[in-house]
């Protein structure tokens, strides 16, 4: 229907006939002079109707147009230094494609600010704001860059089931569903399946995936439906081989996001480009640092939100790094599939970004007997994992991997809260839209 997007209209097109389609962002009526600011994916363009030049029918039609209606406008491009971007359209024909009801549920021009709940309840309209659309254009870039990086590095994309029979991350936090005459669950992660792929010879796999987590948290950083990039790699020497891949992946992703110049300008955000190597620090050292800074964490406890925040600040102040790996976690706070380093420690790591965990991973156990022992130690029933353990009995290479939470990456990249970077977030209170 259109010949151009608004951002393609430049003073160079002076004198050209064009067709534009978009939403009515604003209408200004100065009597003999009427302006429509038309908005499309490319931005804004001014439509100028002048008494005497523009025919009477169009002048009258403009009076009846409601904000956020969709118009098709055929018109002439005219260079005008006073118009935004130095160019405007003189309308020849205006077609009403779809009329918007009024009042609007949300003010797209942002003169009236709405709270996040109102915005999320009217997400289709919230996304008409160029700032909000920019978040999701950057998110698309992040996912694309991540996927391309992995493909380029020999990873094979897989799709694992989302309806599963047993927990993959421990006994809690599952959403039960009814599966014909049986109980089943929504997958917490592709963990068991991506590990089973290591017994196939595919060697390096990844999945852009959804985690379903029945966590009761109601925080700025937790959702019940999460998007992640999950990776699993065979024939590793130890967890450092996995950390190296995650290091390259996250740097590539942040670099990619920093190339979204238009979107970042609209959002008024800057992204700091990370440098290699990303700082690596042991869990023990983290506990010492936190305790020295007055945040007491018992050895063996996970970091709470406040501890993560303090750590993020200290890593910035002392090491000038927004990103950091925390390595050698205590064995007992990590899932059953985690490779022990010794009795006390594991080969698990987390990746922190400005005070928030964005990824965790580890070398995994590949010996089936040790695996059964660890499953029992966690008070889980090995019988429920038979399909998984069986894949370890006929040749399983040493392997490891990680899950990188994309919602968390986005929120930290743009300093927003998690609900803002997900189209239709699912949390304790939100199941629609
Ligand atoms: P984990 O449970 O740590 O590890 O999840 C990996 C990453 O996913 C993101 N994430 C979440 N983001 C928002 N809300 C949540 N409720 C949420 N839960 C997880 C985080 C987190 O770092 N199977 C392992 C990964 C592996 O070892 O390969 C796992 O799921 O960014």
């Amino acid at each position: 229907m259109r010949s151009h997007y608004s951002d393609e209209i430049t003073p160079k097109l002076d004198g050209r006939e064009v067709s534009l389609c978009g939403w009515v962002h604003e209408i200004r009526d100065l009597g003999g002079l009427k302006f429509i600011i038309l908005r499309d994916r490319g931005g804004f363009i001014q439509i100028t109707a002048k008494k005497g030049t523009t025919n009477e029918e169009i002048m009258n039609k403009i009076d009846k147009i409601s904000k956020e209606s969709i118009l098709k406008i055929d018109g002439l491009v005219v260079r005008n230094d006073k118009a935004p971007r130095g160019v405007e359209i003189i309308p020849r024909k205006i077609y009403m494609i779809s009329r918007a009801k009024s009042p609007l549920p949300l003010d797209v021009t942002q003169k009236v600010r709405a709270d996040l709940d109102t915005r999320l309840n009217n997400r289709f309209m919230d996304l008409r704001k160029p700032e909000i659309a920019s978040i999701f254009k950057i998110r698309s870039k992040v996912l694309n860059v991540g996927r391309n990086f992995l493909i380029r590095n020999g990873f094979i994309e897989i799709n694992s089931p989302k309806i599963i029979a047993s927990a993959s991350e421990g006994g809690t936090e599952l959403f039960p569903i009814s599966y014909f005459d049986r109980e089943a669950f929504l997958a917490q992660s592709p963990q068991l399946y991506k590990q089973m792929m290591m017994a196939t010879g595919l060697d390096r796999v990844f999945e852009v995936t959804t985690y379903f987590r029945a966590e009761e948290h109601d925080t700025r950083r937790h959702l019940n439906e999460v998007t992640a990039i999950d990776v699993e790699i065979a024939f590793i020497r130890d967890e450092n081989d996995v950390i190296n891949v995650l290091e390259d992946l996250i740097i590539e992703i942040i670099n990619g996001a920093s190339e979204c110049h238009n979107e970042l300008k609209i959002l008024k955000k800057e992204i700091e480009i990370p440098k290699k190597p990303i700082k690596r620090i042991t869990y023990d050292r983290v506990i010492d640092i936190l305790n020295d800074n007055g945040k007491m964490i018992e050895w063996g406890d996970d970091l709470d939100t406040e501890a993560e925040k303090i750590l993020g600040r200290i890593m910035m102040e002392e090491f000038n790094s927004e990103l950091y790996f925390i390595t050698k976690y205590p064995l007992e706070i990590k899932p059953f599939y985690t490779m022990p380093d010794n009795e006390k420690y594991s080969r698990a790591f987390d990746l922190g970004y400005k005070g928030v965990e964005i990824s965790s991973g580890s070398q995994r156990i590949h010996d089936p007997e040790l695996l059964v022992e660890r499953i029992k130690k966690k008070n889980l029933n090995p019988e429920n994992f038979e399909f998984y353990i069986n894949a370890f009995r006929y040749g399983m290479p040493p392997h490891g991997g990680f899950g990188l939470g994309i919602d968390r990456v986005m929120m930290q990249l743009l300093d927003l809260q998690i609900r803002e970077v997900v189209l239709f977030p699912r949390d304790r209170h939100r199941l629609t839209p």
Side-chain angles (χ1 to χ4, degrees):
M1 290 169 78
R2 54 164 72 85
S3 64
H4 294 78
Y5 276 116
S6 61
D7 56 339
E8 293 165 335
I9 306 289
T10 63
K12 278 196 198 134
L13 294 185
D14 186 54
R16 276 274 293 275
E17 296 283 346
V18 294
S19 295
L20 298 166
C21 293
W23 283 258
V24 175
H25 192 68
E26 281 199 87
I27 309 174
R28 277 183 224 125
D29 188 346
L30 311 178
L33 196 58
K34 296 182 205 286
F35 299 107
I36 298 172
I37 306 297
L38 196 73
R39 187 188 68 242
D40 63 19
R41 207 173 84 166
F44 302 96
I45 185 86
Q46 177 173 300
I47 317 295
T48 309
K50 214 186 272 175
K51 209 173 168 178
T53 326
T54 308
N55 75 43
E56 201 63 18
E57 195 193 331
I58 289 188
M59 290 304 272
N60 292 337
K61 204 167 190 177
I62 292 177
D63 293 338
K64 296 190 200 94
I65 293 170
S66 56
K67 273 173 87 171
E68 293 304 313
S69 291
I70 299 178
L71 304 180
K72 175 172 187 269
I73 293 178
D74 295 340
L76 185 73
V77 179
V78 173
R79 178 196 288 269
N80 178 356
D81 292 340
K82 286 195 213 119
R85 294 193 295 110
V87 69
E88 62 187 0
I89 305 289
I90 307 298
R92 302 259 198 240
K93 278 218 165 91
I94 296 185
Y95 304 91
M96 172 63 75
I97 304 287
S98 173
R99 182 180 299 278
K101 263 176 63 174
S102 57
L104 298 168
L106 207 65
D107 178 14
V108 180
T109 63
Q110 308 238 54
K111 281 180 195 134
V112 186
R113 294 259 165 192
D115 61 30
L116 185 55
D117 269 321
T118 311
R119 287 178 39 206
L120 292 175
N121 289 340
N122 298 285
R123 197 54 148 165
F124 70 94
M125 189 152 275
D126 190 41
L127 274 146
R128 292 184 187 180
K129 300 174 196 158
E131 303 92 277
I132 310 303
S134 294
I135 298 172
F136 293 93
K137 290 178 189 170
I138 297 174
R139 189 178 162 113
S140 165
K141 176 84 183 246
V142 159
L143 284 167
N144 255 299
V145 167
R147 179 180 261 124
N148 288 341
F149 169 86
L150 291 165
I151 297 281
R152 209 167 64 237
N153 284 281
F155 285 82
I156 292 165
E157 183 161 6
I158 61 164
N159 301 104
S160 63
K162 300 294 160 251
I163 301 175
I164 56 166
S166 56
S168 51
E169 306 292 337
T172 55
E173 299 161 13
L174 281 161
F175 281 115
I177 54 167
S178 71
Y179 190 68
F180 305 106
D181 52 353
R182 280 188 289 170
E183 187 179 53
F185 306 97
L186 293 177
Q188 292 165 309
S189 81
Q191 184 65 34
L192 307 188
Y193 295 93
K194 67 178 182 173
Q195 280 193 261
M196 286 161 71
M197 287 301 104
M198 299 298 96
T200 64
L202 289 180
D203 276 9
R204 310 183 123 212
V205 301
F206 78 98
E207 177 166 346
V208 180
T209 189
T210 308
Y211 298 170
F212 300 96
R213 307 229 164 159
E215 290 162 355
E216 304 243 341
H217 306 291
D218 191 9
T219 73
R220 294 169 70 88
R221 55 176 71 187
H222 285 93
L223 289 177
N224 297 106
E225 190 178 283
V226 174
T227 300
I229 299 184
D230 258 65
V231 164
E232 203 66 20
I233 313 165
F235 298 100
I236 57 167
R237 288 163 296 194
D238 56 37
E239 75 275 30
N240 288 305
D241 286 339
V242 181
I243 290 178
N244 292 340
V245 171
L246 178 53
E247 177 176 59
D248 287 339
L249 173 64
I250 192 67
I251 290 178
E252 186 106 347
I253 283 178
I254 296 177
N255 275 337
S258 76
E259 285 163 12
C260 297
H261 303 293
N262 276 342
E263 288 74 20
L264 290 170
K265 200 166 136 199
I266 291 171
L267 283 162
K268 301 192 184 75
K269 303 268 181 191
E270 275 175 38
I271 291 176
E272 179 138 341
I273 311 282
K275 279 187 245 29
K276 237 173 121 171
I278 293 173
K279 179 79 188 157
R280 297 170 195 202
I281 180 166
T282 62
Y283 170 87
D284 282 4
R285 182 89 188 89
V286 166
I287 299 301
D288 285 346
I289 290 180
L290 288 171
N291 290 349
D292 288 349
N293 280 272
K295 173 69 189 171
M296 304 313 281
I297 299 277
E298 290 267 340
W299 190 93
D301 281 350
D302 224 337
L303 307 187
D304 58 27
T305 306
E306 193 196 354
E308 279 199 66
K309 257 194 198 154
I310 295 172
L311 180 65
R313 178 173 52 73
I314 295 169
M315 295 307 286
M316 197 57 212
E317 283 167 8
E318 292 193 13
F319 304 103
N320 196 25
S321 48
E322 290 187 334
L323 287 160
Y324 41 90
F325 286 103
I326 306 171
T327 62
K328 302 281 183 230
Y329 265 85
L331 184 58
E332 290 318 318
I333 50 172
K334 288 293 175 183
F336 65 82
Y337 49 77
T338 310
M339 179 70 105
D341 200 39
N342 52 40
E343 296 256 297
K344 224 175 135 188
Y345 294 96
S346 72
R347 298 205 183 158
F349 59 85
D350 279 359
L351 174 61
Y353 184 26
K354 297 193 250 182
V356 169
E357 174 207 309
I358 56 167
S359 176
S360 63
S362 61
Q363 177 169 358
R364 327 294 191 186
I365 294 169
H366 57 278
D367 170 46
E369 277 163 31
L370 179 57
L371 190 57
V372 171
E373 193 186 310
R374 292 297 306 160
I375 289 173
K376 285 186 186 155
K377 192 89 198 289
K378 291 275 182 189
N379 290 322
L380 296 166
N381 183 356
E383 279 172 26
N384 294 340
F385 295 92
E386 203 33 42
F387 71 95
Y388 162 72
I389 302 167
N390 209 32
F392 289 66
R393 296 194 175 112
Y394 306 94
M396 175 61 98
H399 63 278
F402 58 83
L404 174 65
I406 293 305
D407 313 316
R408 293 260 181 100
V409 167
M410 285 300 301
M411 78 181 243
Q412 290 309 89
L413 254 180
L414 301 176
D415 296 315
L416 296 169
Q417 54 166 302
I418 202 159
R419 282 165 190 73
E420 295 181 86
V421 300
V422 175
L423 279 178
F424 298 103
R426 290 288 174 261
D427 61 31
R428 283 265 292 146
H429 312 287
R430 191 167 278 285
L431 194 52
T432 53

